[in-house]
Amino acid sequence: MAYPRMTMRWSFLFGVSRTLTRQKNHIWLRYFSANAISHISSNKKEFVRKLSSKLNDPDVFGTLSLHGSRESQSLDSINNQELPVDEGDVEEEKHLSFQPADRKSVEEFEKEISQLIEKRKLKDALFCLEVTMKEDRIQPSIGVFSLLIGACGREGYSKKAFSLFNQMKKKGFDPKDCHYTALFNSCANSPWKVDGLQRAKILRQQLNDRNVLLNRAQYHAMIKAFGHCGEINTALQIVDEMVSNKLVVTTESFSFLLQACISLPEEGFARAVLVWRKLRNMRVTPSIFSYNLMLRTVRDCDAKDVNGQQNPIESVLLLEEKPDLQANSMLNQSILSTSELMIVTDQLTVRPNLLAEKIKSSNIMALTGLEKTENRLALLGGIEGFLEEMNKDHVRPDIKTFSLLLETIASNPKEEKVLMEQMKACGVIPDISFLNMFIKKRQFRQDYSGAQEILSYFQDYQLFPDIMTFGVLALGCRTLPEADSLMSDMENAGFRVNIEIFGCLLKNAIVRRNCFYIVDLLKRAVKMNLALDEKAVKLLDKFKRETSEAIAKHDRGLKVQKVYGERGFRESFKIFCLEYKPHMQKLELALEPHPWQQYRYNLSKERASDPPCPPLSKKTVQNKKRFI
């Protein structure tokens, strides 16, 4: 009877062994299936398949000890048998598990995009995100979106910045402060004010509806966006909102407001004066950027109010100095032009300085003549008064300050001499841009010999002329020999005539009605393969049309300028008309490119919905075709 008992005992043990084996096999298969998702080598995968095949054999004993000796097991001791491969597992493993060795990770893409943006290759960076990463099935991170949205904002590519922002939100990333700042920057830097203003309004409304708390950087970006788009009142409201939210208004805040004033050519200077007075009232110390921005408003903006008057500046002079001015005698009040303020010797009249903490305007009742830049500068103290206020605020002028002063002072040798003396006293050394501007200023007042004298400064300060130097010198080339000498000097210096210099020479030739000069320029343009721009085509068309009409009027006995009746001019104009058509056939017309074209790698899909670039006028194209 012992034999059956022994048989039953071994049978029981054999069943337990098989049960344990199945459980162990299940554990090992789950272990190796989990590891298959990670990056493993082909040798490891082969080892797993062979080991699984061995463990599936129910007649194999000793599986409990296999766990301890698994890593030391030799592949040669396992049967050369493979498990059947499921197609679904292969497809899943292809997309989720394994990555080719040459495929980059998202961190590597982020680093590459960052490097491209630093090199100002936004087009390549966008291609990397929208093409390369999609082909490699790499999901972009929030860092990639942040880099590209910021870069698009700096370049004014507002459409792409908002598009990337929406893509980022669809992928589940929460927007951060830097994203809103970049979006407002894209609106501020957009080449189209209407489009930028519309996007800025929508974005601001969305932030208000969501009760998003903004920081100072975002408020500054908002001020910049609305200011550059011409919404100065909204920019001022944003400053008040900063104060209500207990954010300190800094010098940078007022700098953005002054930038907003520059965007208003009709009333910018008057607005800037009010902003400056608010800066003084809030005890904010201006910086070098604040002073330079004020000079820009002097140069670029008029002093009219919205209603076409000059009330803002007059109100500043009246209210800050003498609130009870209306009670004074009319004999003690004066309506002066700002040029008169500089020479008045009456002790009751003191020239005002709107930059000072306290304005001393005495009995001035009204101002006139603010359409001139030198008069607007006189309200800021002139050269000496302006630099004196900078010294009081412990602000040292730089070369940009003197460049702006040069553009705003009266065009006469006396003012220029004072400026150079002050420049030397402040220890500021001229650069090439300053000297180019100096030459240009003298060329505009037809002081050609004085413009040539500026060239001596290049030797004194060891500076070498650049292409802009030859451009401003071209303004004084009144005759063909002078133009020929300039182009020879350019060739010797290694420069090539561009369309700007060609336009200056062409304008001089047309103003003097020198037809041989014009024909020679056209021949040179054909020889240099120079493409004419819209401005040059308009000049040629206008000259040909007006000259033909004037000659016809002279032949009918109507009164015109004497030159149109001279025989020499008529013969030269006939030669011009004969030469004009064949030369225009050989010259190309340079169309103005779309501002965002440089950032695109495929224009066909995006161009239709972009804000339209100001096109070349049909009249200009038709005129060019008419004479070809």
Side-chain angles (χ1 to χ4, degrees):
M1 297 299 294
Y3 180 76
R5 292 177 182 175
M6 183 65 68
T7 303
M8 292 176 60
R9 180 181 179 184
W10 281 108
S11 177
F12 172 77
L13 293 175
F14 183 75
V16 172
S17 176
R18 293 192 62 179
T19 301
L20 294 175
T21 300
R22 291 192 189 98
Q23 294 178 354
K24 194 65 178 179
N25 290 346
H26 182 65
I27 293 172
W28 278 110
L29 288 175
R30 289 181 60 187
Y31 173 77
F32 285 108
S33 297
N35 286 348
I37 299 178
S38 61
H39 301 286
I40 59 177
S41 62
S42 58
N43 292 336
K44 279 191 174 184
K45 291 191 290 183
E46 184 71 17
F47 177 80
V48 170
R49 286 195 290 268
K50 291 184 178 182
L51 182 59
S52 300
S53 176
K54 185 67 177 177
L55 292 178
N56 282 337
D57 189 356
D59 297 330
V60 175
F61 290 86
T63 56
L64 294 177
S65 63
L66 187 61
H67 175 70
S69 61
R70 174 174 58 87
E71 295 183 2
S72 61
Q73 188 124 0
S74 174
L75 291 174
D76 297 334
S77 62
I78 304 177
N79 294 332
N80 189 16
Q81 183 179 357
E82 296 184 359
L83 292 173
V85 180
D86 185 79
E87 295 181 359
D89 293 340
V90 173
E91 189 68 19
E92 184 178 1
E93 181 179 341
K94 176 181 178 182
H95 288 278
L96 299 178
S97 302
F98 301 100
Q99 180 174 313
D102 58 344
R103 187 179 299 178
K104 299 177 182 179
S105 64
V106 65
E107 291 80 11
E108 292 174 328
F109 274 111
E110 185 174 341
K111 183 178 179 180
E112 180 181 352
I113 290 174
S114 177
Q115 293 175 351
L116 290 172
I117 292 175
E118 289 179 359
K119 298 177 182 178
R120 299 183 66 85
K121 296 182 178 181
L122 181 56
K123 174 182 175 181
D124 297 335
L126 292 172
F127 183 86
C128 187
L129 168 68
E130 299 177 341
V131 177
T132 309
M133 294 185 71
K134 284 185 177 180
E135 291 177 351
D136 291 351
R137 297 187 179 90
I138 300 296
Q139 292 295 331
S141 63
I142 190 172
V144 172
F145 283 109
S146 300
L147 288 170
L148 289 173
I149 293 174
C152 291
R154 290 187 293 272
E155 298 296 337
Y157 198 175
S158 56
K159 178 190 173 183
K160 183 61 69 175
F162 278 85
S163 176
L164 293 173
F165 180 74
N166 293 329
Q167 292 180 31
M168 182 189 71
K169 291 193 296 183
K170 288 180 181 180
K171 292 186 179 296
F173 296 117
D174 295 329
K176 296 183 180 180
D177 295 343
C178 61
H179 299 140
Y180 296 121
T181 304
L183 291 178
F184 281 118
N185 279 332
S186 70
C187 298
N189 299 326
S190 175
W192 297 279
K193 291 185 177 181
V194 177
D195 179 73
L197 180 60
Q198 182 180 5
R199 293 179 186 273
K201 286 182 176 179
I202 295 174
L203 180 59
R204 188 191 180 203
Q205 185 62 42
Q206 291 178 353
L207 294 176
N208 291 336
D209 294 341
R210 294 171 54 188
N211 295 323
V212 178
L213 296 177
L214 304 179
N215 55 30
R216 185 181 290 106
Q218 292 169 334
Y219 275 116
H220 287 173
M222 290 174 63
I223 296 172
K224 180 181 178 183
F226 284 97
H228 283 202
C229 297
E231 286 285 331
I232 183 64
N233 293 329
T234 306
L236 292 171
Q237 292 174 5
I238 295 172
V239 174
D240 296 335
E241 186 178 332
M242 289 180 63
V243 177
S244 63
N245 291 337
K246 298 181 180 180
L247 288 176
V248 179
V249 180
T250 62
T251 306
E252 187 178 5
S253 307
F254 284 101
S255 295
F256 284 114
L257 281 177
L258 291 174
Q259 289 180 10
C261 297
I262 297 172
S263 64
L264 304 173
E266 295 295 328
E267 53 182 304
F269 179 72
R271 296 280 189 173
V273 169
L274 297 178
V275 170
W276 190 274
R277 300 316 307 168
K278 191 172 184 179
L279 176 146
R280 288 298 192 190
N281 293 335
M282 296 183 68
R283 304 296 181 184
V284 177
T285 303
S287 64
I288 181 63
F289 303 105
S290 306
Y291 277 100
N292 289 343
L293 288 171
M294 280 299 296
L295 286 176
R296 285 188 59 187
T297 61
V298 173
R299 182 192 65 182
D300 301 333
C301 306
D302 206 343
K304 296 179 181 179
D305 195 8
V306 180
N307 299 324
Q309 300 177 357
Q310 299 169 353
N311 290 335
I313 298 180
E314 295 172 4
S315 63
V316 169
L317 293 173
L318 294 174
L319 295 177
E320 294 211 12
E321 175 62 23
K322 272 196 172 183
D324 57 342
L325 183 60
Q326 298 297 331
N328 293 343
S329 173
M330 290 298 296
L331 297 175
N332 294 330
Q333 300 176 6
S334 58
I335 300 177
L336 301 174
S337 68
T338 50
S339 58
E340 290 175 324
L341 292 177
M342 303 177 64
I343 58 176
V344 168
T345 58
D346 190 346
Q347 60 180 359
L348 297 177
T349 302
V350 180
R351 185 175 64 181
N353 189 339
L354 300 180
L355 300 178
E357 293 186 4
K358 293 183 179 181
I359 300 177
K360 298 179 181 180
S361 57
S362 190
N363 61 348
I364 297 174
M365 180 179 177
L367 297 171
T368 59
L370 293 181
E371 67 278 359
K372 297 181 179 180
T373 58
E374 58 266 25
N375 289 344
R376 295 194 290 268
L377 180 62
L379 282 177
L380 306 184
I383 299 175
E384 297 89 343
F386 189 89
L387 296 176
E388 182 180 354
E389 288 300 321
M390 294 185 70
N391 186 40
K392 290 180 181 178
D393 290 323
H394 305 286
V395 177
R396 183 179 180 182
D398 55 8
I399 185 60
K400 188 173 183 180
T401 306
F402 285 97
S403 297
L404 292 169
L405 284 172
L406 179 62
E407 292 183 286
T408 54
I409 62 176
S411 183
N412 59 67
K414 181 180 178 181
E415 289 291 310
E416 293 171 356
K417 182 179 179 181
V418 173
L419 179 66
M420 295 302 294
E421 291 175 352
Q422 292 291 332
M423 192 173 183
K424 186 177 181 181
C426 295
V428 178
I429 300 176
D431 59 1
I432 295 178
S433 299
F434 178 84
L435 296 180
N436 291 342
M437 197 177 303
F438 212 156
I439 296 174
K440 182 179 179 180
K441 193 175 186 69
R442 293 191 173 182
Q443 295 276 36
F444 278 162
R445 69 167 183 257
Q446 299 182 356
D447 185 7
Y448 304 117
S449 59
Q452 294 292 329
E453 293 176 358
I454 304 299
L455 295 176
S456 61
Y457 286 108
F458 284 88
Q459 298 178 356
D460 297 340
Y461 296 102
Q462 298 181 353
L463 298 174
F464 190 80
D466 57 2
I467 188 66
M468 287 297 298
T469 307
F470 290 101
V472 293
L473 289 174
L475 296 172
C477 294
R478 296 158 292 175
T479 62
L480 179 58
E482 292 177 352
D484 184 67
S485 175
L486 176 70
M487 288 185 278
S488 299
D489 293 339
M490 289 185 63
E491 184 177 355
N492 295 332
F495 294 103
R496 184 177 181 270
V497 176
N498 54 24
I499 187 61
E500 288 77 15
I501 296 177
F502 178 83
C504 291
L505 299 175
L506 181 64
K507 185 176 181 180
N508 290 339
I510 290 176
V511 168
R512 287 164 179 80
R513 299 181 183 87
N514 192 333
C515 296
F516 293 111
Y517 191 177
I518 299 173
V519 172
D520 184 80
L521 290 176
L522 292 176
K523 290 180 180 180
R524 291 176 183 269
V526 173
K527 185 178 180 181
M528 295 183 296
N529 295 323
L530 189 66
L532 299 184
D533 59 356
E534 182 181 3
K535 187 176 180 180
V537 175
K538 283 183 176 181
L539 284 173
L540 291 168
D541 173 47
K542 184 179 179 181
F543 171 73
K544 190 175 187 299
R545 183 182 66 255
E546 291 182 352
T547 304
S548 300
E549 293 175 355
I551 292 176
K553 289 180 179 180
H554 180 272
D555 294 341
R556 294 195 302 267
L558 300 177
K559 185 177 180 180
V560 292
Q561 294 185 16
K562 186 178 179 180
V563 65
Y564 295 109
E566 296 179 356
R567 181 178 179 181
F569 175 78
R570 284 171 171 261
E571 292 179 354
S572 64
F573 183 70
K574 289 181 181 179
I575 296 175
F576 164 76
C577 293
L578 293 174
E579 296 285 344
Y580 182 72
K581 183 177 180 179
H583 288 321
M584 293 298 290
Q585 287 178 339
K586 299 176 183 178
L587 292 172
E588 295 182 359
L589 185 62
L591 300 177
E592 184 178 357
H594 196 282
W596 292 345
Q597 181 177 350
Q598 56 180 324
Y599 309 127
R600 297 202 196 98
Y601 47 86
N602 186 2
L603 298 178
S604 58
K605 296 182 180 180
E606 292 186 315
R607 188 165 188 169
S609 58
D610 283 344
C613 181
L616 191 68
S617 62
K618 293 182 180 179
K619 185 177 180 181
T620 302
V621 178
Q622 292 174 356
N623 290 335
K624 184 175 186 298
K625 291 181 179 179
R626 189 200 316 164
F627 297 112
I628 290 179

